[in-house]
Amino acid sequence: MVRVNPREPDGAPVNGPVTSKSAVPPTPEAARSAGAASGMPKVTMIGGGQLARMTHQAAIALGQCLRVLAASESDPAAQVSADIVLGSHDDLDDLRRAAEGSAALTFDHEGVPLHHLRALEAEGVAVLPPSKALHFAQDKLAMRVRLAALGLPVPEFADLAGDREAARARLVEFGESHGWEIVIKAVRGGYDGRGVWLVDGADEALAVFDQYPSDAPALLAEQKVPMRRELSAMIARSPFGQGAAWPVVETIQRHGQCAVVLAPAPDLDDDVAEQAQQMALRLADELGVVGVMAMELFETVDGALVVNELAMRPHNSGHWSMDGAVTSQFEQHLRAVLDYPLGNTAPISPLTVMANILGAPEAPEMSMDERLHHLMARMPEAKVHLYGKGERRDRKIGHVNIVGREGESMESVRERAERAAQWMSHATWTDGWDVHS
Ligand code: ADP
């Protein structure tokens, strides 16, 4: 059994060295002793994606080396961390190897089976956020039920789990009572719009239901919210109980995934912004969340707030904070899981825009290196973050932050951020600019 002191100060493995399937130099063992020599705590992140990569960036500044449980050496975070454990987030033994000697075990995605996390907790691993909280970020139905019980605004919903005939009848009843203005969602496993069907009418809704594989995660139906826009309230909470909130941002989706973030959300009523922050802080407290949490919200056409979903990890809607806030979400996540005092979340400029670099239908002929070169020449103020990922249509391969200047309009900053991101993915300038003419 692995027993880990959650505050083992030197980050040294409690139960001897962790073995790794990786053979790339430096070996994880060598990296681990280097990490231990720093005397700083060891945080392990499950998942080797861009969120872990950027958390590692923040870990470096804090004198740490993030350990990453990655599926492959080519994962975005595995490329840059010296402390990689290769394995699967579905495998309890791999999770144990990754957890050994760690002050905290945390996540870059929601995919780790809850029963594995409970097993690790029983063995003394500091799983943060804890499984009892993470459950509500993994399961959209459980989240809706819990939020509704806490009196938080959620869309009306119907559970479509269980016996198929009975579930189909519930779908018809729910659809008819909402004029078929409904959305069907997989309860678990969806991300970036996968597992969400914005159906148009009864026939489409029933077709989605009838064609859905019976062995896949259960479905739910919910009311299609008549919305003005989408918002995100990003907060952090530490085990000590300290909470901190960044300004509420507006998120703009394309093809079901986040494309642009405006920080702060333009023209958002102060009271509504505060209400969103308070809801997120209160919920994090009620659920015992540790780390950062994004509460995705809809602002309805009437100006009310409805909670869409929760992410208990760094989130795309918080990337702007890397360049636009005193403390980034990645540093804050580490501070929270290590129970350090939280950092100042104040923005450093009246407005910042983040634009995702989303892969073009076909990767441009011009290399990424050359595109970056041109972008730097044209827009020296653009802060580029690349994830080391291959280019594929609509894949998140990086993002650009533009921190607005005093007196500049949101439209102007947004235009520049989107221009920079489009250049990085497509090698075309949205204003037709040509470096050679
Ligand atoms: P994911 O887990 O893939 O991010 P979401 O539940 O956030 O899925 O849904 C993806 C997008 O679908 C949302 O950002 C929003 O644009 C739209 N959407 C989801 N639920 C609703 C709803 N109830 N009403 C209207 N639009 C919705």
Side-chain angles (χ1 to χ4, degrees):
M1 191 196 284
V2 182
R3 285 223 173 269
V4 178
N5 175 353
R7 293 292 291 175
E8 185 69 27
D10 63 2
V14 174
N15 292 298
V18 174
T19 53
S20 169
K21 294 169 200 159
S22 166
V24 282
T27 65
E29 287 76 12
R32 179 121 344 86
S33 25
S38 75
M40 300 306 283
K42 173 66 67 186
V43 174
T44 293
M45 193 166 254
I46 305 303
Q50 62 261 24
L51 301 175
R53 181 180 171 108
M54 293 184 274
T55 306
H56 177 54
Q57 235 175 306
I60 294 168
L62 301 180
Q64 306 167 22
C65 177
L66 188 75
R67 183 183 302 155
V68 173
L69 177 69
S72 143
E73 283 160 20
S74 61
D75 283 1
Q79 294 168 23
V80 294
S81 173
D83 192 353
I84 318 160
V85 176
L86 288 180
S88 165
H89 62 264
D90 283 328
D91 184 306
L92 183 55
D93 285 333
D94 289 349
L95 291 165
R96 283 194 179 110
R97 286 191 303 124
E100 277 179 17
S102 289
L105 183 82
T106 189
F107 311 94
D108 104 329
H109 60 73
E110 271 99 29
V112 185
L114 224 51
H115 56 274
H116 286 349
L117 296 179
R118 291 198 195 103
L120 293 171
E121 284 168 339
E123 292 166 10
V125 175
V127 176
L128 299 170
S131 62
K132 66 172 182 155
L134 202 62
H135 173 50
F136 298 102
Q138 289 187 342
D139 185 317
K140 290 182 182 181
L141 181 65
M143 187 265 285
R144 297 244 175 292
V145 170
R146 184 67 190 267
L147 265 64
L150 290 169
L152 293 170
V154 289
E156 285 178 39
F157 60 94
D159 179 1
L160 303 181
D163 176 75
R164 246 175 126 83
E165 279 305 303
R168 196 174 197 277
R170 282 198 298 281
L171 172 59
V172 171
E173 192 190 336
F174 185 80
E176 283 175 356
S177 66
H178 288 85
W180 291 99
E181 287 295 310
I182 65 165
V183 181
I184 298 179
K185 293 184 177 182
V187 164
R188 340 169 40 90
Y191 66 98
D192 286 347
R194 294 171 180 87
V196 173
W197 294 270
L198 295 161
V199 290
D200 189 11
D203 291 349
E204 214 177 296
L206 292 170
V208 166
F209 183 85
D210 291 338
Q211 286 160 25
Y212 191 71
S214 51
D215 56 349
L219 294 173
L220 65 80
E222 67 184 30
Q223 164 206 8
K224 195 178 281 175
V225 176
M227 68 173 104
R228 188 180 287 166
R229 57 178 167 173
E230 299 190 41
L231 303 172
S232 172
M234 189 95 207
I235 60 104
R237 182 177 176 276
S238 72
F240 184 71
Q242 200 184 2
W246 284 271
V248 175
V249 300
E250 177 174 342
T251 62
I252 295 150
Q253 328 289 319
R254 250 171 243 143
H255 311 301
Q257 67 174 346
C258 176
V260 178
V261 171
L262 312 178
D267 306 318
L268 183 64
D269 191 273
D270 284 348
D271 291 344
V272 178
E274 200 184 320
Q275 187 198 342
Q277 291 173 321
Q278 292 299 344
M279 282 198 309
L281 287 166
R282 184 186 142 215
L283 182 70
D285 223 35
E286 297 268 5
L287 302 182
V289 174
V290 171
V292 294
M293 183 185 88
M295 179 185 264
E296 294 179 29
L297 298 146
F298 300 136
E299 187 185 13
T300 69
V301 287
D302 309 325
L305 294 175
V306 174
V307 181
N308 177 32
E309 67 167 343
L310 305 175
M312 294 176 196
R313 51 167 171 76
H315 188 252
N316 202 164
S317 67
H319 289 357
W320 70 275
S321 64
M322 295 175 87
D323 301 297
V326 177
T327 307
S328 82
Q329 62 164 345
F330 299 102
E331 177 182 335
Q332 195 80 303
H333 189 66
L334 289 169
R335 289 166 83 130
V337 300
L338 290 168
D339 210 5
Y340 286 145
L342 297 181
N344 184 342
T345 47
I348 59 165
S349 155
L351 41 100
T352 298
V353 177
M354 188 274 339
N356 276 339
I357 302 173
L358 299 168
E362 271 185 48
E365 264 175 43
M366 188 187 294
S367 71
M368 186 62 91
D369 176 41
E370 194 179 346
R371 279 174 260 163
L372 184 60
H373 189 120
H374 283 291
L375 178 70
M376 287 171 164
R378 189 177 180 201
M379 298 174 65
E381 75 282 20
K383 304 299 287 183
V384 181
H385 302 268
L386 295 174
Y387 307 154
K389 286 161 81 170
E391 297 180 68
R392 275 208 310 264
R393 185 192 201 112
D394 287 335
R395 189 180 199 199
K396 291 177 182 172
I397 53 177
H399 68 269
V400 178
N401 284 334
I402 304 271
V403 178
R405 293 183 286 261
E406 198 65 46
E408 207 177 359
S409 72
M410 187 61 97
E411 289 70 35
S412 147
V413 183
R414 176 176 174 180
E415 192 180 0
R416 286 194 289 135
E418 292 203 66
R419 178 168 298 146
Q422 168 88 8
W423 169 256
M424 290 303 293
S425 54
H426 289 68
T428 54
W429 291 109
T430 49
D431 59 353
W433 192 72
D434 181 356
V435 68
H436 302 296
S437 63

